[in-house]
Amino acid sequence: MSSFTGLFNLYALVMAGGKGTRFWPESTEKKPKQYLTLISSKTLLEETYERFEGFIGKEHRYVVTVKEQEELCKRSSAGRIAGDGMIFEPSGRNTGPCILVSLATLLARGLTEKDVLAIVPSDHVILNHKGFQNTIKKAAFYAHNKQNIVTIGITPHFPHTGFGYIEKGEMVEGEAFKVSRFKEKPHFELAKEYVASGKYLWNAGMFVAPIGVLLEEFKTHAPKMFAHFEDLKKAVGNDAEMKKVYERVPSDSIDYAIMEKSARVSVIPAAFDWNDMGSWDALSAVVEETHGNTVVKADGSFFLNSADNVIFTPNRFVSLINMDKHVIVANDKVVLVAPVKDAQEIKKVVEHLKKERPDLI
């Protein structure tokens, strides 16, 4: 398990330091969405580890998070990673620095540049574990054999405007395609064109690559970031020094730093379902409907001429009359009501509260 016929070792790196502002009021700075139990009794981070069961052993799993989330991360990681499986970002920056400090830490802890790393977010919902493992395995073999970065693309089933897209180039082997280019989140008409063409995949933010290839691409395409790599490696185990070095690393996403510039990026379409849990409306795709509504948590419900609502009201009875396509969330301190189509706007409430009511975030 985790070793592929002696060719290479496969490791998993789970990125779990995000804040998930669009899942407010449940997701707060003290408890971001990857630690919420949204689709089962397990947190989204626990669900992420479950996808690797029987495939990548816990001694080959790592998680990277920020120091403020240490206790939450420990609770969700207990029994699912080995003792040295936690990596800390000194502060939340962006996916580029986060991955760079993770690579420095992994090499300092004994991994080699030949080892292959599957990097995945902690807040996705994937129900088909077998399909997920098969896709990661194919990506790992291709990444090792071709010394490439392999990103996992999701075949789009409707014109989503909240995701980035990947344009497929020529098929290079089996199910792998060269990446022609990455596209920003499109407006609706353009998203419709992308889906109709059959040439585009959603960018799921998951990728698989040998550690050495990632470092070479950092060096080539993000030299200002890579300039700090040796210092990061030397600082592993010294929190104060690591903080000093890390603050000097330019902040940029892995997409901008490497993926959009590198000629060594391929894409394999996912053979599994996928939902990125970007905002409350995403739950309607993974939770079974109750009388035409998505009741995630509630202490009973009554609906009159109401449909397509998403409801999260733990320990509260909810009743809706003549109300369609809304998100309704209630906890001990806060009530949130918003049209489903505006679910992405919830982050603006968080921006307001940072100034006016920081106790609520």
Side-chain angles (χ1 to χ4, degrees):
M1 193 163 63
S2 310
S3 179
F4 286 80
T5 59
L7 287 174
F8 59 90
N9 290 313
L10 178 61
Y11 292 82
L13 176 68
V14 179
M15 294 189 290
K19 291 182 177 171
T21 53
R22 284 169 296 188
F23 262 94
W24 182 86
E26 281 305 293
S27 177
T28 62
E29 290 196 352
K30 290 192 179 109
K31 194 175 185 182
K33 69 175 171 179
Q34 57 270 28
Y35 306 109
L36 300 180
T37 52
L38 291 170
I39 61 156
S40 72
S41 59
K42 298 186 182 86
T43 66
L44 290 178
L45 177 54
E46 286 170 331
E47 296 274 358
T48 304
Y49 291 132
E50 295 265 305
R51 295 197 274 280
F52 292 109
E53 282 299 320
F55 175 51
I56 296 178
K58 65 181 181 182
E59 72 288 349
H60 275 218
R61 298 179 205 159
Y62 291 86
V63 60
V64 55
T65 188
V66 287
K67 203 73 180 161
E68 303 91 80
Q69 295 176 20
E70 181 172 6
E71 285 310 311
L72 287 166
C73 192
K74 268 185 183 165
R75 282 204 290 276
S76 279
S77 304
R80 292 177 165 88
I81 58 174
D84 68 344
M86 285 180 80
I87 297 169
F88 293 108
E89 252 190 298
S91 58
R93 285 172 76 69
N94 212 321
T95 50
C98 171
I99 288 163
L100 194 65
V101 75
S102 298
L103 298 179
T105 307
L106 293 174
L107 290 180
R109 290 183 186 172
L111 273 67
T112 74
E113 292 193 8
K114 288 182 181 174
D115 291 327
V116 176
L117 201 56
I119 302 174
V120 300
S122 58
D123 55 356
H124 292 178
V125 172
I126 294 165
L127 304 176
N128 179 357
H129 291 188
K130 194 172 179 193
F132 170 78
Q133 293 181 5
N134 286 341
T135 303
I136 295 292
K137 194 183 289 185
K138 282 176 193 158
F141 274 108
Y142 187 84
H144 167 78
N145 292 339
K146 302 293 183 186
Q147 292 295 289
N148 250 227
I149 301 170
V150 180
T151 186
I152 309 299
I154 311 295
T155 303
H157 43 94
F158 66 98
H160 204 296
T161 57
F163 300 150
Y165 285 71
I166 299 166
E167 185 180 358
K168 292 184 287 188
E170 60 176 313
M171 183 180 264
V172 279
E173 187 180 290
E175 292 164 47
F177 297 82
K178 285 301 274 181
V179 168
S180 181
R181 64 196 133 172
F182 288 85
K183 295 282 198 174
E184 290 295 312
K185 296 170 184 176
H187 57 75
F188 185 69
E189 290 305 316
L190 192 54
K192 274 192 353 194
E193 284 176 33
Y194 287 174
V195 175
S197 75
K199 292 181 187 170
Y200 291 85
L201 300 164
W202 287 335
N203 183 358
M206 290 182 248
F207 48 97
V208 184
I211 290 173
V213 171
L214 289 168
L215 292 177
E216 284 165 18
E217 297 308 276
F218 266 110
K219 187 176 182 179
T220 303
H221 301 291
K224 288 180 179 170
M225 264 192 215
F226 186 76
H228 302 281
F229 182 70
E230 288 304 321
D231 288 339
L232 288 171
K233 214 159 100 179
K234 282 180 200 148
V236 172
N238 181 338
D239 289 354
E241 185 59 27
M242 180 64 87
K243 192 171 191 303
K244 263 194 278 183
V245 177
Y246 199 64
E247 277 166 11
R248 295 199 292 266
V249 181
S251 175
D252 217 341
S253 72
I254 193 71
D255 283 356
Y256 286 127
I258 291 177
M259 306 297 272
E260 294 180 9
K261 300 171 187 165
S262 173
R264 299 169 77 182
V265 183
S266 306
V267 62
I268 289 181
F272 53 85
D273 60 290
W274 175 81
N275 198 303
D276 86 324
M277 286 296 119
S279 50
W280 284 107
D281 55 314
L283 286 162
S284 59
V286 291
V287 175
E288 277 190 40
E289 283 191 352
T290 305
H291 305 301
N293 294 280
T294 302
V295 183
V296 185
K297 286 187 183 177
D299 183 18
S301 57
F302 171 81
F303 302 115
L304 181 63
N305 299 328
S306 297
D308 302 322
N309 298 290
V310 177
I311 295 133
F312 188 94
T313 57
N315 309 316
R316 282 169 164 50
F317 184 91
V318 65
S319 54
L320 301 181
I321 298 170
N322 295 331
M323 191 173 195
D324 294 337
K325 298 181 180 172
H326 275 70
V327 173
I328 298 98
V329 183
N331 62 23
D332 293 341
K333 290 183 177 177
V334 170
V335 176
L336 166 76
V337 181
V340 163
K341 69 179 176 59
D342 297 319
Q344 302 278 333
E345 300 296 308
I346 291 168
K347 61 185 177 186
K348 291 182 180 170
V349 183
V350 178
E351 286 161 21
H352 166 78
L353 293 174
K354 274 181 188 169
K355 299 183 199 113
E356 303 296 328
R357 288 290 304 274
D359 58 304
L360 294 177
I361 57 165

